[in-house]
Amino acid sequence: PGVSKDVLYSISSGDPEGYFTVDGGSGTVRTARPLDHEARAGLEVEVQARHGSPPAYASSRVRITISDVNDNAPVFLPSSSESLLLPEVTKMGAVVYRVRATDRDSGHNGQLSFDLVSSGTGGGGGERTFGVDRGSGEVRLIGGLSYESVPRYDLQVVAKDGGAPQLSATFTLVVHVQAQDAHGPSFDTLTYRVELRENAPLHTRFLQVRALHREATGSSSSSSSSSSSEAAPPPPAMSYRLRADGDAARFGVDPVSGWLFVRSALDREAKDMYLLTVLATSGPAGPSTGARTGGTGAGRTGSATVRVTVTDENDNSPRLSQERAFLAVRENQVAGTGFGRVAATDRDAGLNARLTYRLLHTDRHFQINSHT
C-alpha cells in the first residue's frame, strides 16, 4: 500500500543520548552520532507515529544491538611499568611477577596473550633469563642471575588482543639484581614515583633521592662498643648519576645532593611517562663500577628506578575535523530531529580535553547539542 505522507515519525523514548534519529516522513532510522559498543552494547527505542488532526498515535519498539569492533588496546593494571629487586640466589622456575592487563572489547577482541620481547643491560639477554606465560602473564626466572654480569634487566612484556587488526600495549618490568654479599649502596626505596607538570621550567628540581652505605646498617652498635682509641674511618663519599639512555636525556641529577631536575622541555602529548635509573656510587667510581670489591666498599654501585609521570596542562586548542561541513535536512521535520554532526578533538587529557559546542550565530530554526 505504500507509505502515507500524512504520517510523521519521531523517537519518543529509549535513546536519551541521541545515538539515532528517525526520518519524520519515511520512518527510516539512522545513526546520529558515532556508536561505541563499550559505552552502550544495545538499546531499545520507541518510535512514535502521528497521523491526522486531532492526531492519532501509534508506537513500535525497535531493539538495536551494537556489535563490537576491536577499537580498544590492552591496558595494564595498575600501571604500565614496575620494578623489583631479585637476589641473585633466586631459584630458577620461581614466579617473580605477574603482569595484569585488561581490554574493554568483547569476545576474541578482548582476549589477551603475553610475550617477552626485550633484553637486560650489559649485554645479557632477558629472553634467556626470564620467560612469561602467554596466558596468565606470570614472569618466571628461567636462567641464572649474576650481579657482576648483568645488574639490571629491562623487560618488555607485550600484551596482544585477539582482534583484527590486532592491538597491543607494552609493559616495562625493571629487575634489579641484588648481589649475594649485599655490600653496595642501598636507596631508601627501590622505585620512586613522582608527577611533574608538562612545560615545567628548565632546572626545576622535583625529587631528591638518597642512598646509604649498606655496611653501616647493623654495624653501628659494634663500632660504638669498640675499645680501640682510634676513630672509625668516615664512610666513602656517595655520588649520584643517571644511567645514560633515551629517557635520561631530558633530566639531570646533582651528583652530591641527589636532587633530580628538568634538563629540557617536557610535552605530555609527545611522551607522558619516563623511566629513569639513578645510580649511587660509594667512593671513587672506576671502570669496574658495579663489580664486587673487597674491604671498604669503595667503587660499589647501587641503583633505583624513578618513574616520572608527566601531567597535563591545557596547552592545546580544540580542532574541528572539518573547517566547513555541508549538511542537508528534509523539510517538515519534527522539532528535535537530528540531521548531522560536527566533530572535534583535543590533544589534552581529562577535563582539559572535555569539549562543549555552541553556535556562534544563533538561529531560531537550529540548535546544537552542547555535548555531542
Side-chain angles (χ1 to χ4, degrees):
V3 177
S4 173
K5 294 183 179 180
D6 297 329
V7 177
L8 292 177
Y9 300 91
S10 62
I11 293 177
S12 57
S13 65
D15 185 21
E17 293 90 357
Y19 285 108
F20 297 93
T21 183
V22 62
D23 186 284
S26 68
T28 303
V29 178
R30 297 185 175 92
T31 58
R33 54 180 293 196
L35 305 179
D36 184 3
H37 171 84
E38 288 72 44
R40 195 76 178 263
L43 65 166
E44 193 172 280
V45 300
E46 183 175 275
V47 178
Q48 187 180 80
R50 185 183 67 184
H51 174 70
S53 181
Y57 295 93
S59 63
S60 177
R61 302 196 72 82
V62 181
R63 182 171 296 172
I64 302 172
T65 300
I66 301 171
S67 58
D68 186 47
V69 296
N70 194 29
D71 57 349
N72 290 279
V75 176
F76 292 100
L77 302 172
S79 66
S80 59
S81 66
E82 192 54 83
S83 62
L84 56 90
L85 182 66
L86 276 187
E88 63 179 349
V89 294
T90 302
K91 294 182 179 180
M92 284 193 291
V95 176
V96 299
Y97 192 80
R98 183 168 182 247
V99 180
R100 295 189 299 129
T102 185
D103 192 306
R104 295 181 63 212
D105 291 314
S106 303
H108 290 294
N109 295 334
Q111 292 181 353
L112 301 182
S113 61
F114 301 92
D115 291 295
L116 183 64
V117 297
S118 77
S119 62
T121 61
E127 300 94 332
R128 297 190 298 273
T129 309
F130 297 90
V132 64
D133 186 281
R134 288 181 57 84
S136 67
E138 288 183 342
V139 180
R140 292 180 182 271
L141 183 66
I142 60 174
L145 298 176
S146 171
Y147 177 83
E148 289 183 357
S149 301
V150 187
R152 164 181 162 155
Y153 292 86
D154 293 325
L155 306 179
Q156 304 279 327
V157 178
V158 175
K160 301 177 182 178
D161 62 27
Q166 193 173 60
L167 300 178
S168 64
T170 302
F171 177 85
T172 300
L173 179 63
V174 180
V175 180
H176 298 268
V177 179
Q178 184 181 40
Q180 188 172 1
D181 60 12
H183 287 319
S186 173
F187 283 86
D188 50 12
T189 184
L190 181 64
T191 302
Y192 296 89
R193 302 175 188 272
V194 63
E195 291 187 350
L196 188 61
R197 291 187 69 86
E198 65 175 331
N199 303 320
L202 300 186
H203 307 297
T204 297
R205 300 196 305 179
F206 60 90
L207 174 69
Q208 187 178 29
V209 298
R210 187 182 66 161
L212 301 174
H213 299 279
R214 203 185 299 266
E215 297 91 338
T217 61
S219 62
S220 56
S221 58
S222 60
S223 61
S224 60
S225 61
S226 172
S227 59
S228 172
S229 59
E230 292 186 9
M238 193 79 70
S239 62
Y240 301 93
R241 71 185 190 279
L242 293 178
R243 194 187 76 170
D245 58 20
D247 279 0
R250 295 186 179 274
F251 302 93
V253 61
D254 186 288
V256 177
S257 67
W259 272 103
L260 274 74
F261 59 89
V262 178
R263 177 167 281 170
S264 61
L266 303 176
D267 181 6
R268 188 205 65 85
E269 288 73 43
K271 188 175 176 65
D272 62 359
M273 194 271 288
Y274 295 85
L275 276 179
L276 313 175
T277 300
V278 60
L279 305 173
T281 301
S282 172
S288 59
T289 293
R292 298 186 184 93
T293 57
T296 64
R300 293 192 179 104
T301 298
S303 65
T305 300
V306 180
R307 177 191 168 100
V308 181
T309 301
V310 182
T311 59
D312 188 52
E313 281 193 345
N314 193 23
D315 56 351
N316 290 278
S317 299
R319 295 179 65 90
L320 289 163
S321 58
Q322 297 173 289
E323 291 187 3
R324 292 186 178 184
F326 296 93
L327 305 175
V329 58
R330 288 176 176 267
E331 62 179 346
N332 300 322
Q333 292 291 313
V334 177
T337 300
F339 61 90
R341 182 175 183 265
V342 294
T345 57
D346 192 306
R347 296 181 63 213
D348 291 312
L351 293 176
N352 293 335
R354 185 175 296 176
L355 303 180
T356 58
Y357 299 84
R358 64 184 178 90
L359 295 174
L360 288 179
H361 305 290
T362 58
D363 187 297
R364 66 185 181 88
H365 295 100
F366 302 101
Q367 288 182 332
I368 188 170
N369 187 304
S370 62
H371 300 294
T372 65

